[in-house]
Amino acid sequence: MAKINFIDQSGETRTVDAEIGATVMETAIKHDIPGIEAECGGACSCATCHVYVGDAWTDIVGGPQPMEEDMLDFAYEVRPSSRLSCQIKVTPALDGLVVTTPERQG
Ligand code: FES
């Protein structure tokens, strides 16, 4: 298990247990985290699972692959820390990860 902290636009943090090997998006859906829609179910083809990775975590999480980068063009208010949460696999190294959900998806 790894703890993941989801911060919403009001600043509220929800900390949940994530299974190693699941994605951050799957973890969010399982725990009813608001602000993650994940319309395509994790196929990297909707960009409605967009999150901002916390500053301390961007190097650990790494950047998007080319397909994800293309998809991010469709996300709302993309920043350098933007990732599609369905493309982030939970590993033990991500224990304590902080991500913020955007104001809206799509
Ligand atoms: Fe559709 Fe992530 S769930 S791109």
Side-chain angles (χ1 to χ4, degrees):
M1 289 283 182
K3 298 263 187 230
I4 300 194
N5 303 290
F6 291 90
I7 304 176
D8 69 18
Q9 282 299 304
S10 72
E12 188 176 334
T13 302
R14 293 173 179 83
T15 303
V16 300
D17 286 321
E19 276 176 42
I20 304 299
T23 66
V24 172
M25 175 280 277
E26 288 164 343
T27 305
I29 297 297
K30 184 173 170 190
H31 294 276
D32 292 324
I33 300 295
I36 305 272
E37 294 171 11
E39 277 167 17
C40 78
C44 197
S45 58
C46 74
T48 62
C49 63
H50 176 206
V51 295
Y52 304 114
V53 175
D55 288 347
W57 290 94
T58 49
D59 285 352
I60 299 165
V61 171
Q65 296 295 307
M67 187 175 150
E68 180 185 343
E69 212 166 308
D70 287 348
M71 213 52 230
L72 271 169
D73 289 344
F74 298 95
Y76 174 75
E77 238 185 58
V78 174
R79 301 176 192 162
S81 63
S82 290
R83 290 291 313 266
L84 296 178
S85 59
C86 70
Q87 301 302 304
I88 305 174
K89 271 241 189 303
V90 178
T91 65
L94 296 192
D95 186 24
L97 175 68
V98 178
V99 297
T100 302
T101 47
E103 198 178 310
R104 66 179 173 83
Q105 295 286 352

